[in-house]
Amino acid sequence: MQIRILEDSDGLGRSAAEAVAKELKAKPRSILLLPTGSTPLDMYRHLIDIHAQEQVSFSQATFFNLDEYLGLFSEHPASYRRYMEENFYCCVDTDLDRVYVPNGNAPDPAVECERYEEAIKGAGGIDLCVLGIGRNGHIGFNEPGASFDSRTRVVRLTESTRRVNAEDFEGDRAPEKAITVGMGTILGSKKILLLASGENKATAVARVVEGPITEEVPASVLQRHSNFTLLLDQEAASSLCKENL
Ligand code: GLP
């Protein structure tokens, strides 16, 4: 595991964008697995800038999203498809035939999950996976207790995640369920980059770096991955032991 600590969330976003751009320059046909949430917004902004300066093209790469709420039509303002279109795909040269987001409104969600997992396998597996992290250590929507060998599936969200994510919805809770790429699928990625920003992620980050590997903290298993980098801002790193700084 490598840990890099950046000054603030903008520095974190720039550093993450540079890592993605480096991957695409080395392998234009890369297969990427990408996150949503507030943390990666700076990364997408910097990637758009890097693209505008004609330093990288996304046209040959394939993009998968980590997750999507169940029961949302794709144009819903809080859907992750819409997030990706508005914050990233709108402004770069991705080939939309190679952009995948789980369909949260599929008539048969189980079939949609199988189709999604097969599409990842068919593409040749993930070269670079970029993750955010939930306050309870979730990655994608793999909540505490998710099996480390799980695959893309429908999951029930915890009350705490539904409350934290409620701000994107009119009610006081996010939807009850979501489709998420599984832990086993994430762990099969060749490289993994986890981004964490802000003090409210400090405890989860300390558990990932210093805690035992347990399904109760899904991201803790990333310690075992042979090419895992944590990009943190100073606040997210604030609970780490000195020897890990
Ligand atoms: C959601 C997403 C996760 C994301 C997490 C943290 O639950 N499913 O993939 O990592 O939010 O989001 P934020 O960066 O807004 O704290």
Side-chain angles (χ1 to χ4, degrees):
M1 168 170 50
Q2 281 189 38
I3 303 176
R4 290 196 55 207
I5 300 170
L6 290 306
E7 182 67 25
D8 53 20
S9 63
D10 181 65
L12 177 71
R14 187 178 313 113
S15 181
E18 284 166 2
V20 172
K22 188 175 166 199
E23 171 72 28
L24 285 164
K25 279 182 196 162
K27 185 178 175 189
R29 291 181 172 276
S30 285
I31 316 296
L32 277 81
L33 182 55
L34 296 178
T36 52
S38 53
T39 312
L41 286 171
D42 285 318
M43 172 183 80
Y44 292 125
R45 189 169 47 78
H46 281 289
L47 273 173
I48 291 167
D49 284 351
I50 293 173
H51 172 68
Q53 291 155 16
E54 294 180 14
Q55 289 171 11
V56 74
S57 167
F58 301 88
S59 62
Q60 295 182 62
T62 301
F63 298 87
F64 288 91
N65 245 74
L66 279 158
D67 45 16
E68 177 63 286
Y69 290 107
L70 199 69
L72 290 196
F73 53 96
S74 58
E75 290 79 29
H76 189 287
S79 84
Y80 286 166
R81 174 171 286 276
R82 181 137 170 208
Y83 169 107
M84 291 306 289
E85 279 167 6
E86 289 181 350
N87 293 301
F88 186 40
Y89 299 135
C90 59
C91 307
V92 294
D93 62 345
T94 35
D95 173 352
L96 291 179
D97 287 341
R98 283 202 287 268
V99 166
Y100 297 81
V101 181
N103 178 0
N105 218 13
D108 186 337
V111 170
E112 171 64 7
C113 293
E114 258 172 58
R115 188 195 67 87
Y116 203 75
E117 189 71 34
E118 280 307 309
I120 293 176
K121 210 189 281 172
I126 304 297
D127 292 302
L128 174 63
C129 168
V130 184
L131 299 168
I133 185 168
R135 295 177 203 185
N136 62 4
H138 75 239
I139 48 179
F141 268 135
N142 292 284
E143 296 275 36
S147 160
F148 288 155
D149 54 16
S150 55
R151 296 284 159 188
T152 305
R153 68 204 185 289
V154 173
V155 290
R156 188 171 286 280
L157 303 180
T158 60
E159 278 297 299
S160 64
T161 298
R162 291 182 66 204
R163 269 198 302 273
V164 170
N165 291 8
E167 61 191 28
D168 297 332
F169 295 87
E170 278 170 15
D172 60 352
R173 296 279 196 281
E176 280 176 29
K177 293 182 182 174
I179 292 177
T180 186
V181 163
M183 293 297 295
T185 321
I186 290 171
L187 290 168
S189 308
K190 293 192 184 100
K191 283 182 212 157
I192 301 179
L193 200 59
L194 188 148
L195 320 181
S197 164
E199 213 178 338
N200 58 20
K201 299 295 172 66
T203 304
V205 166
R207 289 193 175 132
V208 171
V209 177
E210 294 157 7
I213 296 177
T214 163
E215 289 179 346
E216 288 314 306
V217 182
S220 64
V221 72
L222 299 170
Q223 291 174 26
R224 266 192 211 146
H225 194 277
S226 58
N227 196 330
F228 169 48
T229 304
L230 252 175
L231 287 186
L232 309 173
D233 66 8
Q234 294 201 350
E235 289 184 358
S238 60
S239 293
L240 289 179
C241 292
K242 285 208 178 65
E243 58 266 28
N244 286 318
L245 295 175

